[in-house]
Amino acid sequence: MNHTDHVNLLRPGIPESGGLWADLGSGRGAFTLALADILGETGSIISVDKDRGALRDQELAMRSRFPSAHVDYRAADFSRPLDLPPLDGVVMANSLHYFSRKGPLVEHVRSMLKPGGRLIVVEYNVDRGNFAVPHPLTYPQWVELAARAGFAETRLLGTVPSSFLREFYAALSLSPA
Ligand SMILES: C[S@@+](CC[C@H](N)C(=O)[O-])C[C@H]1O[C@@H](n2cnc3c(N)ncnc32)[C@H](O)[C@@H]1O
């Protein structure tokens, strides 16, 4: 996937520029850069990853490609309390598949959002993992899990073929208003 693919997956789930978003498990920033592109200069992003090296690489890429983006880089474990202000949106791209028990984490993420806030999940659309993707979840599995964790109106935003594991999907879920 390239930057255009990343933007195209997220954009249908982000109706307007601006707002406060977090990217949980942002890594080297593929989707953080896409968020910066979509939200524009009036938006703010809290970029969370436990890997400080990846965050440093991400910051360099952000400075070079979106120098006026407002990004707060946090080296932290997103499954623990992060003490963030209420968020307009959260992106979790390829970071849910590390958790075998996802329910409590998804409820924790819902608690970070404002009423009506948006969660965009990007995952491989497969039900069997491998060393790199230990606990994947298909889109239908995500629909069920999101509803059990209190999210509403889950819908598919798009898919992109993957030579590694079938395809990626992006899905939008809403925190109840
Ligand atoms: C496969 S990478 C995905 C990076 C990026 N979101 C993307 O799609 O290109 C997963 C990232 O999640 C981070 N991660 C996994 N579990 C985490 C946790 N509990 N807290 C913070 N970061 C975590 C890893 O350090 C890694 O950078």
Side-chain angles (χ1 to χ4, degrees):
M1 278 203 281
N2 59 30
H3 180 71
T4 304
D5 294 320
H6 299 138
V7 168
N8 287 344
L9 278 175
L10 299 189
R11 199 190 288 281
I14 304 178
E16 57 201 5
S17 53
L20 176 62
W21 283 66
D23 185 358
L24 304 180
S26 56
R28 300 181 72 191
F31 286 90
T32 331
L33 291 162
L35 257 183
D37 200 352
I38 296 167
L39 298 180
E41 290 178 26
T42 56
S44 299
I45 302 169
I46 302 168
S47 176
V48 182
D49 203 287
K50 60 186 179 186
D51 180 342
R52 286 177 192 274
L55 282 180
R56 268 195 299 273
D57 289 348
Q58 181 190 141
E59 190 170 356
L60 289 176
M62 189 66 75
R63 272 201 217 139
S64 127
R65 297 184 57 192
F66 297 99
S68 22
H70 304 289
V71 187
D72 172 5
Y73 301 92
R74 300 221 188 162
D77 178 345
F78 61 66
S79 67
R80 303 184 65 82
L82 291 173
D83 196 22
L84 305 180
L87 300 168
D88 295 296
V90 166
V91 169
M92 295 190 81
N94 304 305
S95 55
L96 261 184
H97 61 228
Y98 294 102
F99 294 79
S100 55
R101 278 186 68 237
K102 297 177 176 58
L105 172 63
V106 178
E107 285 174 22
H108 167 61
V109 171
R110 184 167 58 77
S111 75
M112 298 180 195
L113 287 163
K114 291 179 184 170
R118 294 167 169 260
L119 169 60
I120 299 179
V121 163
V122 178
E123 276 297 339
Y124 291 99
N125 202 3
V126 291
D127 58 7
R128 208 172 287 176
N130 59 26
F131 66 99
V133 182
H135 306 290
L137 77 169
T138 61
Y139 175 64
Q141 288 169 330
W142 169 245
V143 171
E144 274 188 26
L145 173 57
R148 277 204 307 275
F151 280 97
E153 297 181 49
T154 295
R155 68 181 170 92
L156 189 64
L157 297 175
T159 60
V160 175
S162 162
S163 52
F164 182 55
L165 281 177
R166 200 158 88 93
E167 69 176 6
F168 293 99
Y169 63 88
L172 172 69
S173 303
L174 302 184
S175 170

